[in-house]
Amino acid sequence: MQSTLPPGLDVTEELEKISEGGSSLWLDFESVRLYTNAFIRQDEKLLLGYKKRGFGKDLFNGFGGKVDVGETPLEAAIRELEEEAGITAPLEHCGTLFFTSTDSKEAAYIEVFYAEQFSGTEMRPQWFAISSAKEQGLDPIPFDKMWEDDRLWMRLLLGGCHFVGRVDFGPDAHLQKWWFGVRPRSS
């Protein structure tokens, strides 16, 4: 089941409706933890990091993690980007994702950030081609080595849309159910 909400629809209200956890249509959860995820784009390249351990091990993703007590999501995203990639960037909020899983009673509420400029040196991250990989000498975005839902919402992020969505993962982190709402980002 996949749907895109029409422009102008109040997606915040829709997210609240499906995130209450009591519906038989969506997975239940008992608690929510706040996370961030930041993506850096330079021209037609996207910077991703490879997760070597812990949750999401052996997958490529943006840079982020838990929001510490007393921190705003933006402060956490800036901190995590510097810790994980060794860079700073003028991050802008571009989306909100809400994940649940049959493997956990804790849901993940993720604020997604985006930048097209950065300073510093990347440590272990890797650039991937957004468009034609052959022209740039880069591999294309490795969706087969990312979370299964990334191929659904990544096009929204790269297309300049502000988005909100919910994803329920079934056993072995396979997509079970999802929806996304979008609106253009302000210029």
Side-chain angles (χ1 to χ4, degrees):
M1 170 183 272
Q2 176 182 3
S3 66
T4 301
L5 300 175
L9 186 63
D10 183 3
V11 294
T12 304
E13 183 178 309
E14 291 299 312
L15 182 60
E16 288 172 2
K17 285 180 193 174
I18 67 163
S19 298
E20 294 171 356
S23 170
S24 62
L25 299 175
W26 294 92
L27 290 177
D28 289 332
F29 55 92
E30 295 174 3
S31 61
V32 178
R33 182 171 294 238
L34 183 59
Y35 295 90
T36 65
N37 203 351
F39 294 87
I40 306 298
R41 177 181 184 162
Q42 186 177 61
D43 301 317
E44 289 300 306
K45 302 182 299 186
L46 184 67
L47 187 63
L48 299 173
Y50 184 77
K51 183 83 173 178
K52 293 183 174 186
R53 64 183 192 285
F55 188 67
K57 181 181 182 291
D58 297 327
L59 298 176
F60 282 97
N61 203 343
F63 306 93
K66 296 174 187 158
V67 177
D68 290 339
V69 174
E71 238 179 356
T72 67
L74 177 58
E75 290 167 340
I78 290 168
R79 174 184 52 77
E80 290 282 353
L81 182 62
E82 190 166 5
E83 287 174 5
E84 294 179 359
I87 60 177
T88 59
L91 296 175
E92 295 180 33
H93 184 262
C94 66
T96 301
L97 297 169
F98 191 84
F99 293 107
T100 59
S101 170
T102 55
D103 297 335
S104 175
K105 286 296 181 184
E106 181 176 83
Y109 185 102
I110 304 168
E111 294 294 0
V112 182
F113 296 89
Y114 179 82
E116 292 187 4
Q117 300 173 22
F118 70 94
S119 60
T121 304
E122 313 104 68
M123 292 163 53
R124 284 173 265 156
Q126 182 176 343
W127 288 103
F128 292 93
I130 293 171
S131 56
S132 175
K134 289 181 182 178
E135 291 176 17
Q136 298 178 45
L138 297 172
D139 291 333
I141 295 173
F143 287 112
D144 61 328
K145 295 179 182 167
M146 297 173 72
W147 288 98
E148 195 176 354
D149 66 296
D150 288 358
R151 70 177 59 249
L152 301 172
W153 61 265
M154 184 69 64
R155 63 187 170 83
L156 302 174
L157 178 135
L158 296 173
C161 292
H162 192 277
F163 59 94
V164 62
R166 174 162 176 172
V167 176
D168 282 3
F169 288 102
D172 299 321
H174 288 294
L175 283 176
Q176 183 171 310
K177 187 173 186 163
W178 64 94
W179 74 259
F180 296 93
V182 298
R183 67 177 166 81
R185 282 199 299 258
S186 302
S187 337

